[in-house]
Amino acid sequence: MSLLFDRMVQGKNFMAAHVGKWEDLSQYKMTSPFKAYGKVFLKEELQCTGMEVSLNVFPAGASMPFHHKHKENEELYIFVKGEGQFQIDGETFEVREGTVIRVATEGVRTWRNHSSENLYFICIQAKANSLVTGMTEDGVVIDQPINWLEDEKS
Ligand code: ZN
């Protein structure tokens, strides 16, 4: 974790933080189990219990040096800016802002950024077949008034 990570507020039922601007994510480094720059995992810092999330910046011209798959987690990649290529089980396709990809545990995946700009994406890992409901089915509307504090800047 780097100095960019600023846990700003926590409560009984939440944890919120600033991780910095997307273009500054390259300051995050990890060394184990492999070296990576521009990758910040959120599970431990935010105490997530059902998912792992990483925010990623992948520099122009970079390629992942290996393929990988997962033991138990499926992954969802959400590309937010830039362009690149993704490869799953030998099939290659273009990714760009707005591309979303779910990869099953057994999918052998890798990616590269063959463009001249950074590629930004979010990766969410969650245990395969663990979801019991989707869309809005798990939400419950709470009937109580909404009160905001006065804006301190005004
Ligand atoms: Zn993975």
Side-chain angles (χ1 to χ4, degrees):
M1 213 49 69
S2 87
L3 295 173
L4 285 179
F5 202 100
D6 177 20
R7 186 177 288 162
M8 54 182 207
V9 59
Q10 73 183 82
K12 177 173 163 248
N13 294 312
F14 70 95
M15 182 90 63
H18 284 298
V19 296
K21 294 182 175 177
W22 277 101
E23 58 263 34
D24 296 331
L25 283 183
S26 57
Q27 295 177 48
Y28 287 99
K29 297 169 179 59
M30 60 178 268
T31 53
S32 174
F34 57 88
K35 252 190 209 164
Y37 295 90
K39 186 176 202 62
V40 56
F41 285 103
L42 301 180
K43 178 178 76 73
E44 283 184 24
E45 291 293 332
L46 297 182
Q47 298 171 7
C48 300
T49 63
M51 67 186 134
E52 174 63 281
V53 181
S54 65
L55 307 183
N56 302 268
V57 54
F58 205 66
S63 297
M64 281 296 283
F66 53 82
H67 294 277
H68 82 282
K69 65 177 191 174
H70 277 257
K71 291 179 244 177
E72 295 190 272
N73 295 340
E74 66 181 359
E75 286 186 317
L76 176 64
Y77 292 82
I78 303 169
F79 291 87
V80 294
K81 194 174 178 196
E83 296 177 5
Q85 283 185 332
F86 214 89
Q87 190 176 95
I88 305 171
D89 299 336
E91 188 168 335
T92 302
F93 48 93
E94 305 292 320
V95 298
R96 63 180 186 279
E97 178 177 343
T99 303
V100 291
I101 307 169
R102 180 196 67 91
V103 190
T105 55
E106 289 295 312
V108 175
R109 70 211 73 175
T110 195
W111 55 88
R112 69 173 181 164
N113 178 356
H114 60 317
S115 79
S116 55
E117 308 276 331
N118 286 339
L119 177 63
Y120 298 92
F121 64 95
I122 299 165
C123 183
I124 300 170
Q125 293 182 41
K127 187 170 169 56
N129 302 307
S130 66
L131 195 64
V132 289
T133 59
M135 307 264 314
T136 60
E137 291 169 39
D138 193 52
V140 180
V141 173
I142 305 300
D143 184 19
Q144 69 181 40
I146 298 172
N147 297 312
W148 292 103
L149 296 175
E150 289 299 314
D151 188 346
E152 292 171 9
K153 289 174 196 159
S154 61

